[in-house]
Amino acid sequence: DAKTTQPNSMESNEEEPVHLPCNHSTISGTDYIHWYRQLPSQGPEYVIHGLTSNVNNRMASLAIAEDRKSSTLILHRATLRDAAVYYCIPMYSGGGADGLTFGKGTHLIIQP
Amino acid sequence: DVKVTQSSRYLVKRTGEKVFLECVQDMDHENMFWYRQDPGLGLRLIYFSYDVKMKEKGDIPEGYSVSREKKERFSLILESASTNQTSMYLCASSALAGGPSGELFFGEGSRLTVL
């Protein structure tokens, strides 16, 4: 069973905000929600993570639903360099390999 | 900056050959992981290790083995390569799996072609 559900692809225009959704309805109370992205021909890189509260960093914002069954990664002003595959992954805070397999992610296309 | 280095970006091997994929991290991380990535399938965990000489199977360990003799080095071994093991292999490390410090750091990947 897939632990997360993400759209296969999304398209946006440069310099516009992008909202990437993720459903993780089976998330447990101790799972952190991590987001990674993978640029072409590179390994994935960490973007942001959170538990319950919304989070901001220099790359993006993470909005977590009150019931924690979904989250949204927000890129405030997309650039062409943000074109990548974005993965959301619930990760167990106590360690272990649960949640360490990435799904197919969302392929984000940015139009100039 | 954390650096995860994979020994080869591109390899071409023949069916039946023994293949070693090497991964080294320079941040004294406890945990190391091997994934394979195939079109349409995302990243799938092959093996991981939480400590030296320790290993655990991931979701798709069949046909693979691993070795972790030193903390900084995690090797993926294909005892007898087959064409269905043609893939992109990604190594990752983390200070702690999951949780606030569970950020995974990935190498650039090794693209293996088995003929």
Side-chain angles (χ1 to χ4, degrees):
Chain A
D1 290 337
K3 289 191 173 182
T4 61
T5 304
Q6 298 179 256
N8 289 332
S9 66
M10 291 183 64
E11 202 166 308
S12 183
N13 295 319
E14 200 175 8
E15 298 191 2
E16 290 186 357
V18 179
H19 291 236
L20 296 162
C22 181
N23 288 322
H24 30 77
S25 58
T26 60
I27 194 170
S28 77
T30 53
D31 286 352
Y32 281 74
I33 299 155
H34 282 237
W35 283 79
Y36 288 77
R37 71 178 186 181
Q38 187 173 20
L39 302 171
S41 302
Q42 295 187 25
E45 63 176 353
Y46 167 83
V47 177
I48 199 166
H49 75 274
L51 184 62
T52 55
S53 304
N54 295 344
V55 184
N56 300 296
N57 68 17
R58 64 175 177 81
M59 290 179 71
S61 297
L62 177 60
I64 302 170
E66 198 168 331
D67 64 4
R68 295 195 353 107
K69 294 185 176 182
S70 66
S71 62
T72 302
L73 181 71
I74 302 164
L75 307 178
H76 294 286
R77 271 183 88 215
T79 70
L80 296 176
R81 288 174 295 180
D82 292 320
V85 179
Y86 287 79
Y87 302 94
C88 80
I89 308 110
M91 286 195 181
Y92 174 51
S93 63
D98 287 349
L100 286 175
T101 289
F102 291 45
K104 299 176 187 179
T106 297
H107 183 200
L108 177 63
I109 300 163
I110 304 295
Q111 298 289 356
Chain B
D1 284 348
V2 174
K3 190 151 188 183
V4 178
T5 304
Q6 295 184 230
S7 54
S8 305
R9 289 297 304 273
Y10 301 95
L11 302 94
V12 179
K13 299 292 182 180
R14 296 205 175 273
T15 299
E17 278 193 75
K18 191 169 185 175
V19 181
F20 291 87
L21 299 177
E22 306 285 346
C23 176
V24 177
Q25 50 94 4
D26 65 0
M27 282 300 290
D28 201 36
H29 281 171
E30 302 295 326
N31 312 300
M32 297 188 74
F33 311 87
W34 273 107
Y35 290 85
R36 66 176 281 175
Q37 184 173 31
D38 301 288
L41 295 177
L43 280 80
R44 294 179 291 167
L45 184 64
I46 305 171
Y47 266 98
F48 61 99
S49 169
Y50 289 147
D51 201 353
V52 174
K53 297 192 186 294
M54 177 273 180
K55 60 184 179 184
E56 291 287 343
K57 294 180 180 179
D59 297 318
I60 52 164
E62 296 77 20
Y64 303 94
S65 63
V66 290
S67 172
R68 194 162 180 206
E69 296 295 319
K70 292 185 178 181
K71 190 176 185 179
E72 67 271 17
R73 186 179 298 270
F74 193 35
S75 303
L76 180 69
I77 304 157
L78 288 66
E79 293 288 343
S80 178
S82 63
T83 55
N84 63 13
Q85 291 178 311
T86 291
S87 187
M88 171 69 83
Y89 290 89
L90 289 156
C91 175
S93 73
S94 76
L96 177 66
S101 56
E103 179 181 347
L104 295 173
F105 295 87
F106 283 86
E108 291 191 321
S110 298
R111 184 166 292 282
L112 172 66
T113 302
V114 183
L115 303 175

